[in-house]
Amino acid sequence: MSWNNTKKPSATTPETKGFDKEYYRNMFENNTAQAVPVRMALVAKENCAKTGLAISISRQVNSKGKIYVIDVDNSAKSTIDEAYPNDDEIVVLPLLDERDDSIFNDDSTVNYAALTDKMNMYTNIIAEKIKDGENITGIVFDGGSTYLKWCEHAMTAVLLRKGVIKEEGDGFSQKEWRTRNQLFRQTLTRLHGLSVPSVFFTFHLKDVSTYVDNGSGGKVLMKIGERPEWDKGTMRLFSQQIFLSRYMKKADAAAGVKADPTLKNNDDWVIKATIEEVKGRHMEMVGETHTILSVIKGKVKWDGLPMLTWGGNDE
């Protein structure tokens, strides 16, 4: 259902839409589980090669076929042009596109409800292309944390339309957050269910802070950890979770850089990937950390995670 549709939809059931007992009997007899080995979350601070790693692993699964990158953060194009300049089958689809009049209000502000509708329409189009036989090997949903914020903005528009709130700044009960969560989960669940071998979701890693005693009777805000910026329960969608971090000789907490004293020069840096969760194949690798990219004395070297294969190019 489109959140922009102000007309109240009529009640429908599977029967009224033509999905009767015989339809479901046929689905039961003929529909078997699809081979969809990779449903991966890539989580990191900014500039940690999430997009590049997603494309790399997708090509390890299938060296040929279309890869659609749904660019929520408007940051994927430059990475792909630099890292994969000769791969003509990678298609970047920007969502927040200044050329698209459908996602802006009359005062030129962003219509976030229309933006989430656009995302779901793109998913429908990809599903139609799969049904029509297009060879799609991978989808990268690049910017899951930003999209969650978009869903929050869209939620406000929906609550205004429903009359739950009168103005944008009005408060509302905790239960209304389910509107945001429904928008977010609907999109991720649809992408997850597409019949393609690999679907990747990138998320930001955010700091978790709390106030602690400073020893003199006062309180100071201290970082106590990190967590992915996603809706609670999102992780259940993913068969694989990989967390990435950037390292230099000296840590820079403000930039999200960790310390690696084995690096010889202050200007050298590396990106490491830790395999946090795997269901099925490669579960023995959980807990392993590998360097995927290094810049040593100005020389860039890409290693990726070549050990992660799922029966495509390797068999």
Side-chain angles (χ1 to χ4, degrees):
M1 183 182 73
S2 169
W3 291 105
N4 291 324
N5 186 3
T6 57
K7 182 179 179 180
K8 187 175 182 179
S10 57
T12 59
T13 65
E15 289 78 8
T16 60
K17 295 179 70 174
F19 304 133
D20 56 12
K21 182 178 179 180
E22 286 305 312
Y23 172 85
Y24 287 110
R25 183 184 298 278
N26 183 62
M27 289 292 294
F28 181 88
E29 297 293 343
N30 298 292
N31 191 29
T32 56
Q34 302 291 323
V36 287
V38 182
R39 293 295 183 269
M40 183 179 293
L42 298 166
V43 184
K45 300 277 190 178
E46 295 291 341
N47 302 317
C48 284
K50 298 185 291 292
T51 307
L53 183 60
I55 300 294
S56 176
I57 294 175
S58 186
R59 280 291 177 241
Q60 288 166 200
V61 177
N62 290 97
S63 60
K64 301 294 183 182
K66 196 71 68 76
I67 298 175
Y68 285 104
V69 180
I70 301 170
D71 190 6
V72 179
D73 286 328
N74 280 349
S75 60
K77 182 64 174 171
S78 57
T79 297
I80 291 168
D81 286 348
E82 176 66 24
Y84 302 95
N86 300 318
D87 195 331
D88 296 332
E89 292 192 291
I90 302 175
V91 178
V92 179
L93 300 170
L95 286 182
L96 187 53
D97 188 346
E98 291 291 333
R99 301 166 297 178
D100 181 4
D101 293 336
S102 74
I103 59 173
F104 294 98
N105 298 310
D106 292 339
D107 61 356
S108 297
T109 57
V110 177
N111 183 333
Y112 287 99
L115 202 52
T116 57
D117 282 344
K118 178 181 179 179
M119 175 61 231
N120 291 322
M121 286 300 298
Y122 274 14
T123 305
N124 290 340
I125 292 168
I126 293 173
E128 290 172 3
K129 287 179 175 291
I130 295 168
K131 191 174 182 180
D132 291 341
E134 183 172 310
N135 181 22
I136 301 176
T137 188
I139 297 169
V140 182
F141 186 60
D142 195 14
S145 300
T146 300
Y147 188 74
L148 179 62
K149 181 60 68 173
W150 287 2
C151 291
E152 182 178 329
H153 296 324
M155 171 189 70
T156 302
V158 172
L159 295 180
L160 280 167
R161 193 175 302 131
K162 288 180 176 179
V164 176
I165 58 177
K166 302 299 181 183
E167 298 178 358
E168 285 195 9
D170 290 351
F172 48 84
S173 66
Q174 186 69 25
K175 68 178 182 180
E176 300 301 341
W177 282 94
R178 62 190 174 186
T179 301
R180 181 203 68 167
N181 298 340
Q182 286 168 354
L183 285 167
F184 183 70
R185 291 173 185 170
Q186 172 181 288
T187 296
L188 268 63
T189 301
R190 283 292 315 283
L191 288 170
H192 181 280
L194 291 174
S195 183
V196 298
S198 304
V199 181
F200 301 86
F201 305 83
T202 74
F203 294 93
H204 295 146
L205 195 63
K206 65 182 294 185
D207 293 339
V208 178
S209 302
T210 189
Y211 285 97
V212 298
D213 292 331
N214 62 5
S216 59
K219 298 282 188 179
V220 294
L221 190 64
M222 177 179 290
K223 176 182 172 180
I224 59 173
E226 298 173 328
R227 69 174 180 83
E229 196 171 356
W230 58 29
D231 175 40
K232 194 176 296 184
T234 302
M235 69 289 293
R236 290 193 289 270
L237 286 171
F238 311 127
S239 299
Q240 304 87 18
Q241 296 178 37
I242 295 179
F243 284 53
L244 301 103
S245 297
R246 190 152 60 104
Y247 291 81
M248 299 184 73
K249 187 173 183 179
K250 295 181 179 180
D252 183 349
V257 177
K258 299 180 179 179
D260 183 351
T262 65
L263 294 171
K264 295 181 180 180
N265 302 305
N266 289 332
D267 293 334
D268 294 344
W269 57 275
V270 300
I271 294 175
K272 299 181 183 182
T274 299
I275 302 172
E276 293 284 352
E277 182 69 34
V278 176
K279 299 174 184 176
R281 190 170 187 177
H282 302 310
M283 66 173 61
E284 73 280 0
M285 296 182 185
V286 171
E288 293 184 7
T289 297
H290 301 270
T291 297
I292 65 165
L293 182 146
S294 58
V295 179
I296 306 299
K297 294 183 178 179
K299 184 177 180 180
V300 180
K301 180 186 178 186
W302 174 262
D303 292 306
L305 294 173
M307 72 292 294
L308 295 183
T309 56
W310 277 272
N313 298 327
D314 61 320
E315 294 182 359

